[in-house]
Amino acid sequence: MEKMKKKVNNGFVEFGLKSKVLKGIDEVGFKEPSPIQREVIPVILDGLDVIAQAQTGTGKTAAFALPLINELKHNGSIEVLIVAPTRELVMQISDEVFKLGKYNKVRTVSLFGGQPIRRQIELLEKNPQIVIATPGRLLDHLRNGRLGDFDPRVVVLDESDEMLDMGFLDDIEEIFTYLSSQRQTLLFSATMPTPIKHLAQKILHNPKLIKVTPSDTTNQDISQRYYIINEQEREDAIMRLIDSEMPSKAMIFMRMKKEVDLLCERLVNRGYKAGALHGDMEQRERQKSIRAFKDSSINILVATDIAARGLDISGVSHVFNFHIPLNPESYVHRIGRTGRAGKKGIAITLATPLEFKELRRIKENTKAKIELYEIPNLQDAIDKKDSSLLESILKHEITDEALRLYEQIRANADMTQLVCKLLSMVLKENRIIGPNKIGLDKEDLNRFQKQLQSQEVRKKSRKGANGRFDNQGKRGYKNKESTRGRAGASKNVAKNSQKGALSSKRVKQTRPKRR
């Protein structure tokens, strides 16, 4: 029996997990523990408090779920409390805990806003072992005494830095006033800002610090690219890249909720299967968008960072950063939506010349290799899509229904005309439009890179001579040399880059507040 376990579950057997838990792991498809799982699971099984710092996509949900499922007492009370910042993440954690604990008879309840409180009370009365909740709704239940004899022996805070960003820190501290001090506490966070460190000092007892460093979490399965464009070209650029990349599933990240709705509407009007996801949407609408994306009813999801935080949707082939993320951590979270479970992924970022400094800061902080690419022109995109379409047609299986229909029409139709008509129908649905040239071409890009290199050399020489940078060294791309070259590209790049994100009338080139 033991040999069978090792053969089926590989590395997870080493933790001494129960056979029912191993069976759940095998059914989910996990074969080997990720670095965070290898580090965290033994510590949790030993009953120690934990501070675990790891980026999204590293398998941290299973890292805390597996040992907690393994140690359930099934004594009729709530044994585990998991707190997460968003309802989407709560539902995602609940789904994963259910799948992993399927054979251990795990019962969970999800508590978040937008659901009837009466229904949640009914579910709580069915004696779940694990409660997964957002801070606001959990605190509402605690303040109104709806949880009765609530004494979980393990408390998990997931995505703690995101809860800080969303203003939940005071709620978290109040939640812990309702909990027993005799508990095991697990804190998971992608980053460790000072307020989170202070919180950890208050609620944890002699915690074990586990940190999976950026070098450990760098996903070699993600090809990271950036494209230099003029500000007013963002929409054309994203559509051209979708046409040329032909993603099976793509997520487009934007900063503002209104911009999400506007871009999604324009994508749909152009024939793309797109949906929106942001915090101003009703819960029913958000769930509808996520379900449609999961079941491939749509293959493009346009979202803000907060709405998409923690989403685990399989098969995302591309992530597009319509705008540069506000910080390196957001960049890592965004691109972590692709390249999961051993699959390849592509992360694409659009940037103007004036934003290159921010992009360079992300590269330095994440140690990522982000390569400069040129956006295909119109004919290149058409040729690539035509080639892919023909390849797909030739590989497509011939069905019985197609043969039956062929028998009906072959005596009455010229085959050449028939094939042309069918291709015309398909191509009409896959038409590529837009300007021929978008962004900087190879000549512009080479000139741009040479200017950046020369600027770096001048900065270093000035710093060595004066111990500081002068104003001239901070001029960026807009300098004497940048006024040469192709019209509409290098000459006007810096000027055009000061226009708004979607239009010059809607968004100014100032750093927006995070929504």
Side-chain angles (χ1 to χ4, degrees):
M1 182 67 179
E2 187 66 23
K3 290 182 179 179
M4 185 179 296
K5 287 181 185 177
K6 289 184 178 180
K7 182 178 180 181
V8 172
N9 296 288
N10 296 322
F12 287 95
V13 175
E14 68 186 61
F15 302 122
L17 300 171
K18 296 174 182 177
S19 60
K20 292 179 179 179
V21 179
L22 292 173
K23 190 175 180 181
I25 294 171
D26 182 57
E27 187 163 303
V28 169
F30 295 163
K31 298 301 180 184
E32 292 291 337
S34 67
I36 189 66
Q37 292 165 359
R38 195 175 295 280
E39 295 283 339
V40 166
I41 290 176
V43 179
I44 297 177
L45 289 172
D46 286 341
L48 301 177
D49 284 8
V50 171
I51 298 175
Q53 185 176 348
Q55 302 292 352
T56 186
T58 56
K60 57 186 176 59
T61 302
F64 63 74
L66 288 172
L68 298 183
I69 293 169
N70 192 76
E71 298 301 300
L72 289 176
K73 308 299 182 185
H74 299 279
N75 56 13
S77 64
I78 295 172
E79 301 180 53
V80 177
L81 169 65
I82 302 171
V83 185
T86 66
R87 62 193 78 179
E88 286 79 17
L89 187 53
V90 165
M91 291 187 290
Q92 179 180 303
I93 293 172
S94 180
D95 288 343
E96 188 157 353
V97 169
F98 175 78
K99 291 174 183 176
L100 292 171
K102 178 180 177 180
Y103 297 101
N104 204 33
K105 298 181 180 179
V106 175
R107 294 188 302 277
T108 67
V109 169
S110 299
L111 306 178
F112 51 81
Q115 280 187 332
I117 289 179
R118 181 67 251 173
R119 174 58 179 162
Q120 292 181 353
I121 294 174
E122 291 173 356
L123 293 172
L124 288 167
E125 290 172 350
K126 294 182 179 180
N127 299 321
Q129 297 105 356
I130 300 177
V131 169
I132 306 123
T134 54
R137 179 51 63 94
L138 174 62
L139 195 54
D140 181 62
H141 282 294
L142 289 170
R143 286 171 175 169
N144 290 280
R146 302 191 194 105
L147 290 174
D149 188 18
F150 185 60
D151 188 24
R153 58 179 181 81
V154 185
V155 179
V156 182
L157 296 183
D158 193 18
E159 302 281 8
S160 300
D161 52 349
E162 184 66 12
M163 287 193 274
L164 170 66
D165 290 344
M166 296 177 68
F168 286 137
L169 201 58
D170 290 341
D171 288 351
I172 295 297
E173 292 194 17
E174 184 176 347
I175 286 168
F176 275 88
T177 65
Y178 290 89
L179 304 175
S180 169
S181 59
Q182 302 300 313
R183 66 175 186 272
Q184 182 182 13
T185 307
L186 316 174
L187 186 151
F188 286 77
S189 187
T191 60
M192 291 299 296
T194 300
I196 296 299
K197 292 179 181 178
H198 290 163
L199 175 67
Q201 291 173 354
K202 293 179 183 179
I203 64 175
L204 280 83
H205 177 68
N206 294 329
K208 174 76 172 178
L209 177 60
I210 297 171
K211 182 177 180 180
V212 178
T213 62
S215 60
D216 293 326
T217 58
T218 298
N219 193 337
Q220 301 300 321
D221 290 328
I222 302 176
S223 171
Q224 300 176 54
R225 311 171 184 171
Y226 71 95
Y227 297 80
I228 300 297
I229 59 166
N230 298 315
E231 183 63 60
Q232 74 275 14
E233 294 179 310
R234 287 192 193 271
E235 278 192 27
D236 286 331
I238 207 75
M239 293 182 189
R240 176 64 51 79
L241 289 169
I242 291 172
D243 288 335
S244 60
E245 291 291 325
M246 293 170 287
S248 55
K249 277 187 181 179
M251 295 187 71
I252 302 175
F253 285 97
M254 306 184 74
R255 290 175 180 168
M256 311 291 286
K257 301 168 187 175
K258 291 182 179 179
E259 292 174 343
V260 167
D261 287 332
L262 182 59
L263 180 61
C264 182
E265 180 182 352
R266 291 181 178 174
L267 286 170
V268 171
N269 289 340
R270 286 274 294 270
Y272 300 96
K273 296 178 180 178
L277 184 67
H278 58 72
D280 280 353
M281 296 170 63
E282 295 290 334
Q283 176 63 14
R284 177 179 56 81
E285 295 174 332
R286 292 166 72 172
Q287 289 180 333
K288 182 180 179 182
S289 289
I290 294 171
R291 280 197 302 269
F293 193 52
K294 283 184 175 181
D295 65 23
S296 299
S297 300
I298 60 174
N299 69 334
I300 299 173
L301 187 65
V302 190
T304 56
D305 284 294
I306 290 180
R309 184 70 176 255
L311 277 184
D312 186 7
I313 298 175
S314 61
V316 176
S317 61
H318 290 67
V319 167
F320 294 93
N321 293 313
F322 191 87
H323 301 107
I324 288 184
L326 296 177
N327 52 60
E329 291 78 17
S330 293
Y331 177 82
V332 173
H333 278 291
R334 285 182 178 188
I335 72 168
R337 301 303 103 212
T338 187
R340 302 172 79 92
K343 295 182 179 180
K344 301 294 183 182
I346 295 174
I348 289 173
T349 300
L350 300 180
T352 65
L354 293 181
E355 293 173 324
F356 187 78
K357 184 177 180 181
E358 297 178 52
L359 186 63
R360 185 171 55 189
R361 180 167 60 91
I362 290 173
K363 292 172 68 174
E364 291 172 351
N365 278 269
T366 62
K367 311 299 182 186
K369 183 181 180 181
I370 312 176
E371 298 181 288
L372 180 61
Y373 273 64
E374 177 186 357
I375 294 177
N377 62 34
L378 182 60
Q379 190 57 52
D380 287 342
I382 291 173
D383 291 344
K384 185 175 180 180
K385 198 159 191 176
D386 286 351
S387 177
S388 176
L389 178 61
L390 290 173
E391 182 180 357
S392 177
I393 291 173
L394 293 173
K395 287 183 177 180
H396 201 283
E397 180 184 359
I398 299 175
T399 64
D400 292 339
E401 290 80 2
L403 285 172
R404 178 179 54 79
L405 192 58
Y406 171 75
E407 290 296 331
Q408 292 181 25
I409 63 175
R410 68 174 181 169
N412 302 313
D414 177 77
M415 288 300 105
T416 301
Q417 286 191 351
L418 179 60
V419 170
C420 290
K421 287 177 181 292
L422 291 173
L423 287 174
S424 298
M425 289 174 60
V426 174
L427 291 171
K428 185 178 180 180
E429 299 297 322
N430 293 272
R431 191 163 56 99
I432 297 178
I433 59 175
N436 181 53
K437 179 180 178 297
I438 301 172
L440 277 64
D441 60 19
K442 289 182 179 179
E443 182 181 341
D444 298 322
L445 292 172
N446 288 334
R447 187 182 299 111
F448 177 60
Q449 286 185 308
K450 287 179 181 178
Q451 288 177 239
L452 291 174
Q453 291 170 0
S454 63
Q455 288 170 12
E456 288 299 317
V457 171
R458 289 197 299 270
K459 284 182 180 180
K460 289 179 181 178
S461 63
R462 290 192 189 102
K463 187 174 182 181
N466 306 321
R468 61 182 177 81
F469 299 135
D470 61 21
N471 290 332
Q472 186 180 359
K474 295 183 179 180
R475 290 179 183 175
Y477 188 59
K478 189 176 181 181
N479 57 25
K480 180 178 180 181
E481 189 174 351
S482 68
T483 60
R484 304 171 187 160
R486 300 170 64 98
S490 55
K491 180 177 180 181
N492 295 319
V493 164
K495 180 180 178 181
N496 289 335
S497 296
Q498 295 172 356
K499 295 185 179 181
L502 291 178
S503 70
S504 58
K505 295 182 179 180
R506 295 185 63 85
V507 182
K508 294 182 179 178
Q509 181 70 18
T510 55
R511 199 171 180 84
K513 295 182 179 178
R514 185 169 183 173
R515 299 294 175 90

